[in-house]
Structures are given as structure tokens and as C-alpha cells.
Amino acid sequence: MLVTFLEYLLNYFYTLSNNYGISIILLSIGVNILLLPIFFILERLQVNEHNRQEKMAKDLSIIENVSNKNEKFFYTREIYKRHNYKTYYSLVGTLGLLVQIPFFLAAYWLLKDYPSFEGVSFGI
């Protein structure tokens, strides 16, 4: 379905520019514009995660010199509980890439054997 949508956009941009090279560039820009609201939300989540880690950094630096690994683990877990932090919050930074992967794959599947590209130059 995503491949069909990208193909529709590619054909639309081709009718505007009459050049496949420019159409591919416009397709990339168009997809980024469509994903912009999602990227803003993900950026806010990353800022929140960074702020949460900054608040915990002072407490975590105190236990840095604890040599007993079990004791250090339990102290760290208590600090996480105190700040209401879950370990999977650190994965928030990868969400931007995870949103883009389906579009990368769809663009690849669309462009790899696109029949109209044969014998056509990319440039103007």
C-alpha cells in the first residue's frame, strides 16, 4: 500500500517536472514534509527523555564509585523508581529511524525495477 502511494506521488511529480531525477528528489521532499508532524512529536519525546536523564544524572554520579555490582544495580534501580524512569525509555531516540524504515523499504521496492527508468538520464 505504501509502495502504491509512493508510486502515485512519483507519477504526480513526474507530470509536474517531466524529469524522473527531479521527480525522485520531489518525492523525497514530499515524504519528509508528510512526516514532519511525526518528527516534531518524536523530537519532543527525545527532549523529555534527555531532561529525565539529566535529573537522574546527579544521583547516578553519586553511586559511580560503588564497587559491588549488585549493590550498584539495586541503587540504580531505586533511583529509577524515584524518578519514575523505565529502562525502555532510552529507546525513544530510535523512534525517528523506526518511522522512516517503512518509507525507505517502500521507496527501494518502487525504484529498483521501475520500468520507466530504463534509458532515461537522471539529470536535466
Side-chain angles (χ1 to χ4, degrees), residues 11-73:
N11 289 331
Y12 175 73
F13 290 134
Y14 180 74
T15 59
L16 292 177
S17 66
N18 207 21
N19 183 308
Y20 279 113
I22 294 173
S23 301
I24 292 171
I25 293 169
L26 290 174
L27 177 68
S28 175
I29 292 169
V31 168
N32 280 321
I33 289 171
L34 289 174
L35 292 176
L36 209 55
I38 296 172
F39 289 145
F40 282 134
I41 292 169
L42 294 176
E43 182 68 28
R44 252 188 281 147
L45 287 174
Q46 286 179 347
V47 167
N48 289 345
E49 168 62 18
H50 182 70
N51 291 340
R52 190 178 295 127
Q53 285 184 358
E54 279 183 354
K55 289 177 186 175
M56 291 187 311
K58 179 183 168 196
D59 294 339
L60 289 172
S61 67
I62 293 171
I63 64 166
E64 216 171 73
N65 296 326
V66 175
S67 60
N68 186 344
K69 299 217 184 258
N70 286 332
E71 188 178 349
K72 190 173 189 176
F73 171 76

Side-chain angles (χ1 to χ4, degrees), residues 49 52 80-81 83-91:
E49 168 62 18
R52 190 178 295 127
Y80 285 176
K81 281 181 188 177
H83 291 279
N84 197 21
Y85 181 79
K86 308 285 188 270
T87 53
Y88 58 84
Y89 289 169
S90 61
L91 297 175

